[in-house]
Amino acid sequence: MRATRVELKSPEQFRSMRAAGLVVQRTLARLAAATAPGVTTADLDQVAREEIARAGAVSSFLGYDAGYGLPAYPAVTCISVNSEVVHGIPGPRVLVSGDLVSFDFGVSVAGWHGDSAVTVAVGEVASEVAQLSAVTREAMWAGVAAVRPGGRIGDVGHAIESSVRSHGARYGIVADFTGHGIGSAMHMAPDVPNRGRPGSGVGLRTGMALAVEPMLTLGRAPVATLDDEWTVVTRDGSVAAHWEHTVALTERGLWVLTAEDGGEAELTARGAPFGPLAD
Ligand code: MF3
Ligand code: CO
């Protein structure tokens, strides 16, 4: 295997990433609050643009060039509805009660990035759809809580996969996309797969930051990309959910940069070391 160079952050750089993470957290909270039947996804992208301007941050998504000759990403949010898994482009679509919507959002502050996603129910959703989102969120926290200096990336994927499988075989774990390292760019080494073998893969060290982001379906795992070259949908039309946090490995433990409380409640509940830097 080729050696992967992983960016290690200084405490000062983590503080910039925390500033970005808090803008992301605040914006996602506003998006969740503004989500309602009758609202368009373009309206919600506009809400996020206001938050970016107010914070003086820079969108990580707008104009993003993924390479491969893809068109530059045209919005500040990815808004993915129902069978859309990730990378849904905001537009005239009107949300209706029963929809399940994922919001993925990232900004940089002083050149340092934060990236997070939440899934939100519009009005009343079917109980298995609400359950899908809850299981995905739980899998994300299981993955975050498995991050450890001295551990390996496969431990994270294994924790995510085990968490999902503890609910039976009913969920598809999307394997075509992964989480990622993050810092001076949104997408960096290493990949953070949503399945894995314990003790395998890149070693984890203090100074790293990872975006952990499971994507689950209420059906099978295979996905396809629409003609807009961005929107990823389930091949079987099943509903999907997506949750993501950016987590830093500090000398004191884990600091979830995109969680308002730094991850204290969820990490402590899982026996993982909560380790923020002093303000
Ligand atoms: N933030 C997404 C991820 O979680 C990627 C967004 S793609 C972009 O990795 F083009 F919108 F930037
Ligand atoms: Co991400």
Side-chain angles (χ1 to χ4, degrees):
M1 198 177 73
R2 188 166 55 88
T4 314
R5 198 177 294 278
V6 178
E7 181 178 82
L8 300 179
K9 268 64 85 169
S10 69
E12 223 25 64
Q13 292 167 340
F14 273 154
R15 274 188 256 276
S16 292
M17 289 184 70
R18 174 60 166 164
L22 286 175
V23 175
V24 170
Q25 184 278 327
R26 214 181 310 129
T27 304
L28 288 172
R30 261 200 82 188
L31 290 171
T35 298
V39 172
T40 71
T41 56
D43 294 337
L44 294 166
D45 194 68
Q46 196 50 44
V47 166
R49 285 176 193 253
E50 284 168 25
E51 255 341 289
I52 290 174
R54 187 194 317 246
V58 175
S59 172
S60 307
F61 291 15
L62 184 66
Y64 183 80
D65 179 359
Y68 314 104
L70 252 62
Y73 191 73
V76 302
T77 55
C78 295
I79 306 183
S80 307
V81 185
N82 297 337
S83 63
E84 298 171 357
V85 182
V86 286
H87 304 168
I89 300 174
R93 181 173 187 153
V94 179
L95 297 178
V96 301
S97 183
D99 284 344
L100 191 71
V101 186
S102 94
F103 294 101
D104 189 347
F105 184 69
V107 302
S108 63
V109 168
W112 294 90
H113 293 254
D115 187 10
S116 181
V118 297
T119 293
V120 179
V122 184
E124 291 290 311
V125 301
S127 67
E128 73 261 26
V129 169
Q131 192 61 23
L132 167 73
S133 179
V135 168
T136 309
R137 181 180 182 280
E138 177 58 35
M140 170 193 67
W141 278 110
V144 168
V147 174
R148 279 294 182 288
R152 288 185 180 268
I153 213 76
D155 304 343
V156 179
H158 180 73
I160 291 168
E161 189 177 1
S162 303
S163 173
V164 175
R165 291 300 166 232
S166 73
H167 299 277
R170 113 177 123 247
Y171 300 104
I173 304 177
V174 174
D176 297 40
F177 296 88
T178 66
H180 48 92
I182 180 169
S184 61
M186 173 171 60
H187 289 145
M188 307 185 82
D191 285 349
V192 183
N194 291 312
R195 28 188 24 160
R197 204 157 37 80
S200 70
V202 172
L204 304 180
R205 292 174 55 184
T206 297
M208 289 184 178
L210 301 173
V212 176
E213 49 177 319
M215 292 145 264
L216 302 188
T217 78
L218 256 187
R220 290 168 45 74
V223 295
T225 303
L226 297 185
D227 285 343
D228 64 19
E229 298 189 75
W230 278 105
T231 311
V232 174
V233 297
T234 57
R235 280 193 184 270
D236 65 3
S238 61
V239 177
H242 174 215
W243 284 83
E244 175 177 18
H245 267 314
T246 295
V247 59
L249 285 84
T250 75
E251 266 163 13
R252 300 179 49 209
L254 302 178
W255 192 18
V256 182
L257 302 175
T258 46
E260 191 172 20
D261 71 347
E264 181 168 18
E266 299 284 351
L267 292 171
T268 305
R270 290 168 180 78
F274 171 60
L277 297 173
D279 287 329

